[in-house]
Amino acid sequence: MLQEKLYDYLLHLGDNSMILGQRLGELCGHAAELETDIALTNISLDLFGQVRNYFQAAAQIKGGDATEDSVAMLRYEHEYKNTYLVEQPNEDFAHVIVRQFFFDVYHQLVLNELMKSKNETLVAIAKKSIKEVDYHVDFSSTWVKRLGDGTEESHAKMQTAVNILWRYSMELFKATEIESWAADSGVGPDLDQLKPIYLERVTSLLQEATLSLPEETVFQYGAKTGMHSENMGFILAEFQYMQRAYPNMKW
Amino acid sequence: MENKTLSLEDQFQNRIDSGENIEAKDWMPEKYRKTHIRQISQHAHSEVVGMLPEGNWISRAPSLRRKVALLAKVQDEAGHGLYLYSAAETLGISREELNEQLNSGRAKYSSIFNYPTVSWADMGAVGWLVDGAAIINQVMLTKTSYGPYARAMVRICKEESFHQRQGYEIMLSLCNGTEAQKAMSQDALNRWWWPSMMMFGPRDEESPNTEQSMKWKIKKKTNDELRQQFVDQTVPQVEILGLTVPDKDLKWNDETGHYDFGTIDWDEFWDVVKGNGLMNEKRLKDRNEAWDEGKWVRDGASAYADKQAEKRAKKTA
Ligand SMILES: [Fe+2]
Ligand SMILES: [Fe+2]
């Protein structure tokens, strides 16, 4: 029972990194500057590295034939626990950066707490990942500032991305049953406590970037409990393609 | 004393002949500079365009391990592009200009990247054959006369041989797998074999630059010699995989100690070079879209940098 919950919690943690990593992977080779291409690919690589750690642990709990790949790729859409935010498409560079920034600040807060988890596996993964994610925060924050406070055009594009993506941000902090269990049992963070710090960090950096949060936002919730956006099916169609078309093979 | 009677060009050639490197600040014949700008930038463009056919499979990689390895590989190619653009810049041309030459279609890049990657096995075949053929060309260049180019190639070659092993390892996994996987890898070999053979360029009789290139150590062996080396080294690897080279004329020749092979379809080669491959347009379109979409980003970043510099100036004033 306990192990089942831990399994689900690992999916919560891994799925966000995985779907964001997948989105970033789509950009590989298509960035305007080689330097940015390399940096975004690096972030994708870091995220998938973390995913493999989470899902190797999950596969062990599951036992039997389970592997990191079966955990990652052989689930139905509603069984994925990532948020709406990370499913959002690579509309333009502004969307890519703002999505990254909104996620990175959350990710950093969560990992800092996971380093104090009662679960040793999570502590070990968090300790390894935090250095990477500190860099991600740095990267996305720097770009938010550059483009927010750049030209009129870059400012407008960034503000549009903020306006569109902000509605998906609060889902990060709305605990599901499993996340509440994790908080109560000292396995994971209490998301309610992280939320004010998140709001403070995001608002102050946006301010520095001469950007602002939209005044009224209707927040969207649901992806974490399996009600995904239309994006998700297409993401999985690519992500799972080989495993579905050629089942039970070694690669 | 003697040197004074030699022309600058002769002195230059003597330096190369004695194994010295030419550095960016050294005097060089204009033709040497131009040839190197062209060759190094073509090479850089090939690395960058080469990211696209493999990038095509990142989102569909069959396992997390393969996805991570492929991401890292394509990222390496971006790094190669960077080193090589930097080497080209030492000869007095800007990144902007080089980019413009690529995007406008005026500059060439390796034709191999105008072929499509249609199955996962292509990730194996490309790493194994395309990176493999590239290494044969490039190992030579680690000792080329132009210092910045030679040094870039030393770093690049290390990574390329890793790519080649990784590609072959993908093929091995497939060939040790199911019938469907074996069929996929045979199909990939069928499609990539001849284009890889073409990577060494036209036959020696039709390759007029070879002599000059040898003098400047851009080349040490001719196209045909390199191609033969590729065949000799690759055929045994094909046999280990249990696959068949799509060339009915391929056979070992005891007398020469080499494999004989069939005739390359040079019409196809020139068609693709001239822009009529399946993917020529798409590759250039992708590069142009990335560059055009990046304009507001570059403008934004440079406006921000200007503002920051202004702020710093005010503070110190
Ligand atoms: Fe390369
Ligand atoms: Fe390579």
CSV table of all heavy atoms in Angstrom, one decimal, chain B residues 20-24 26 32 36 87 90 141-142 144-154:
chain,number,residue,atom,x,y,z
B,20,GLU,N,55.1,22.8,-40.0
B,20,GLU,CA,54.6,23.9,-39.2
B,20,GLU,C,53.1,24.1,-39.4
B,20,GLU,O,52.6,24.0,-40.5
B,20,GLU,CB,55.4,25.2,-39.5
B,20,GLU,CG,56.5,25.5,-38.6
B,20,GLU,CD,57.1,26.8,-39.0
B,20,GLU,OE1,56.5,27.9,-38.7
B,20,GLU,OE2,58.2,26.8,-39.7
B,21,ASN,N,52.4,24.6,-38.4
B,21,ASN,CA,51.1,25.1,-38.5
B,21,ASN,C,51.0,26.5,-39.0
B,21,ASN,O,51.8,27.3,-38.6
B,21,ASN,CB,50.3,25.0,-37.2
B,21,ASN,CG,49.7,23.6,-37.0
B,21,ASN,OD1,49.6,22.8,-38.0
B,21,ASN,ND2,49.2,23.4,-35.8
B,22,ILE,N,50.0,26.8,-39.8
B,22,ILE,CA,49.8,28.2,-40.2
B,22,ILE,C,48.8,28.8,-39.2
B,22,ILE,O,47.8,28.1,-38.9
B,22,ILE,CB,49.2,28.3,-41.6
B,22,ILE,CG1,50.1,27.6,-42.6
B,22,ILE,CG2,48.9,29.8,-42.0
B,22,ILE,CD1,51.5,28.2,-42.6
B,23,GLU,N,49.0,29.9,-38.6
B,23,GLU,CA,48.1,30.5,-37.6
B,23,GLU,C,47.4,31.7,-38.2
B,23,GLU,O,47.8,32.3,-39.2
B,23,GLU,CB,48.8,30.8,-36.3
B,23,GLU,CG,49.4,29.6,-35.6
B,23,GLU,CD,48.4,28.6,-35.2
B,23,GLU,OE1,47.2,29.0,-34.9
B,23,GLU,OE2,48.7,27.4,-35.1
B,24,ALA,N,46.3,32.1,-37.5
B,24,ALA,CA,45.4,33.1,-38.1
B,24,ALA,C,46.2,34.4,-38.4
B,24,ALA,O,45.9,35.0,-39.5
B,24,ALA,CB,44.3,33.4,-37.1
B,26,ASP,N,49.3,34.8,-39.3
B,26,ASP,CA,50.4,34.6,-40.3
B,26,ASP,C,49.9,35.1,-41.7
B,26,ASP,O,48.8,35.1,-42.0
B,26,ASP,CB,50.8,33.2,-40.4
B,26,ASP,CG,51.3,32.6,-39.1
B,26,ASP,OD1,51.6,33.5,-38.2
B,26,ASP,OD2,51.5,31.4,-38.9
B,32,TYR,N,44.7,30.5,-50.3
B,32,TYR,CA,44.7,29.7,-49.1
B,32,TYR,C,43.6,30.1,-48.2
B,32,TYR,O,42.8,29.3,-47.7
B,32,TYR,CB,46.0,29.8,-48.5
B,32,TYR,CG,46.2,28.9,-47.2
B,32,TYR,CD1,46.7,27.6,-47.3
B,32,TYR,CD2,45.9,29.4,-45.9
B,32,TYR,CE1,46.9,26.8,-46.2
B,32,TYR,CE2,46.1,28.6,-44.8
B,32,TYR,CZ,46.6,27.3,-45.0
B,32,TYR,OH,46.8,26.5,-43.8
B,36,HIS,N,40.2,27.9,-47.4
B,36,HIS,CA,39.9,27.5,-46.1
B,36,HIS,C,38.6,28.0,-45.5
B,36,HIS,O,37.9,27.3,-44.8
B,36,HIS,CB,41.1,27.8,-45.1
B,36,HIS,CG,42.1,26.8,-45.2
B,36,HIS,ND1,43.1,26.7,-46.2
B,36,HIS,CD2,42.4,25.7,-44.4
B,36,HIS,CE1,43.9,25.7,-46.0
B,36,HIS,NE2,43.5,25.1,-44.9
B,87,ALA,N,36.6,28.6,-36.0
B,87,ALA,CA,37.8,28.4,-36.8
B,87,ALA,C,37.7,29.2,-38.1
B,87,ALA,O,38.7,29.9,-38.5
B,87,ALA,CB,38.1,27.0,-37.1
B,90,THR,N,38.4,33.0,-37.6
B,90,THR,CA,39.7,33.5,-37.5
B,90,THR,C,40.3,33.9,-38.9
B,90,THR,O,41.3,34.6,-38.9
B,90,THR,CB,40.7,32.4,-37.0
B,90,THR,OG1,40.7,31.3,-37.9
B,90,THR,CG2,40.3,31.9,-35.6
B,141,LEU,N,42.4,15.5,-41.4
B,141,LEU,CA,42.4,16.9,-41.1
B,141,LEU,C,43.0,17.3,-39.8
B,141,LEU,O,43.3,18.5,-39.5
B,141,LEU,CB,41.0,17.5,-41.3
B,141,LEU,CG,40.4,17.5,-42.7
B,141,LEU,CD1,38.9,17.7,-42.7
B,141,LEU,CD2,41.1,18.5,-43.6
B,142,THR,N,43.2,16.3,-38.9
B,142,THR,CA,43.8,16.7,-37.6
B,142,THR,C,45.2,17.1,-37.8
B,142,THR,O,45.8,17.8,-37.0
B,142,THR,CB,43.8,15.5,-36.6
B,142,THR,OG1,44.5,14.4,-37.2
B,142,THR,CG2,42.4,15.1,-36.3
B,144,THR,N,46.1,18.9,-40.7
B,144,THR,CA,46.1,19.8,-41.8
B,144,THR,C,46.9,21.0,-41.4
B,144,THR,O,47.3,21.2,-40.3
B,144,THR,CB,44.6,20.2,-42.1
B,144,THR,OG1,44.6,20.9,-43.4
B,144,THR,CG2,44.0,21.0,-41.0
B,145,SER,N,47.2,21.9,-42.4
B,145,SER,CA,48.2,22.9,-42.2
B,145,SER,C,47.6,24.1,-41.4
B,145,SER,O,48.3,24.8,-40.7
B,145,SER,CB,48.8,23.4,-43.5
B,145,SER,OG,47.7,23.9,-44.3
B,146,TYR,N,46.3,24.4,-41.5
B,146,TYR,CA,45.8,25.5,-40.8
B,146,TYR,C,45.5,25.2,-39.3
B,146,TYR,O,44.6,24.4,-39.0
B,146,TYR,CB,44.6,26.1,-41.5
B,146,TYR,CG,44.1,27.4,-40.9
B,146,TYR,CD1,45.0,28.4,-40.8
B,146,TYR,CD2,42.8,27.6,-40.4
B,146,TYR,CE1,44.7,29.7,-40.2
B,146,TYR,CE2,42.5,28.8,-39.8
B,146,TYR,CZ,43.4,29.8,-39.7
B,146,TYR,OH,43.0,31.0,-39.1
B,147,GLY,N,46.3,25.8,-38.4
B,147,GLY,CA,46.2,25.5,-37.0
B,147,GLY,C,44.8,25.4,-36.3
B,147,GLY,O,44.4,24.4,-35.8
B,148,PRO,N,44.1,26.5,-36.4
B,148,PRO,CA,42.7,26.5,-35.8
B,148,PRO,C,41.8,25.3,-36.3
B,148,PRO,O,41.1,24.8,-35.5
B,148,PRO,CB,42.2,27.8,-36.1
B,148,PRO,CG,43.3,28.7,-36.3
B,148,PRO,CD,44.4,27.8,-36.9
B,149,TYR,N,42.0,25.0,-37.6
B,149,TYR,CA,41.2,24.0,-38.2
B,149,TYR,C,41.6,22.6,-37.6
B,149,TYR,O,40.8,21.8,-37.2
B,149,TYR,CB,41.3,24.0,-39.7
B,149,TYR,CG,40.3,23.2,-40.5
B,149,TYR,CD1,39.1,22.8,-40.0
B,149,TYR,CD2,40.6,22.8,-41.8
B,149,TYR,CE1,38.2,22.1,-40.7
B,149,TYR,CE2,39.7,22.0,-42.5
B,149,TYR,CZ,38.5,21.7,-42.0
B,149,TYR,OH,37.6,20.9,-42.8
B,150,ALA,N,42.9,22.4,-37.6
B,150,ALA,CA,43.5,21.1,-37.2
B,150,ALA,C,43.1,20.9,-35.7
B,150,ALA,O,42.7,19.8,-35.3
B,150,ALA,CB,45.0,21.2,-37.3
B,151,ARG,N,43.2,21.9,-34.9
B,151,ARG,CA,42.9,21.7,-33.5
B,151,ARG,C,41.4,21.4,-33.3
B,151,ARG,O,41.0,20.6,-32.4
B,151,ARG,CB,43.3,23.0,-32.7
B,151,ARG,CG,44.8,23.1,-32.5
B,151,ARG,CD,45.3,24.2,-31.6
B,151,ARG,NE,45.0,25.5,-32.1
B,151,ARG,CZ,45.9,26.2,-32.9
B,151,ARG,NH1,47.0,25.6,-33.2
B,151,ARG,NH2,45.6,27.4,-33.3
B,152,ALA,N,40.5,22.1,-34.0
B,152,ALA,CA,39.1,21.8,-33.9
B,152,ALA,C,38.9,20.4,-34.3
B,152,ALA,O,38.1,19.7,-33.7
B,152,ALA,CB,38.3,22.8,-34.8
B,153,MET,N,39.6,19.9,-35.3
B,153,MET,CA,39.3,18.5,-35.8
B,153,MET,C,39.8,17.5,-34.8
B,153,MET,O,39.2,16.4,-34.7
B,153,MET,CB,40.1,18.3,-37.1
B,153,MET,CG,39.5,19.0,-38.3
B,153,MET,SD,37.7,19.1,-38.3
B,153,MET,CE,37.3,17.4,-38.3
B,154,VAL,N,40.8,17.8,-34.0
B,154,VAL,CA,41.2,16.8,-33.0
B,154,VAL,C,40.1,16.6,-32.0
B,154,VAL,O,39.7,15.4,-31.7
B,154,VAL,CB,42.5,17.4,-32.2
B,154,VAL,CG1,42.8,16.5,-31.0
B,154,VAL,CG2,43.7,17.4,-33.2
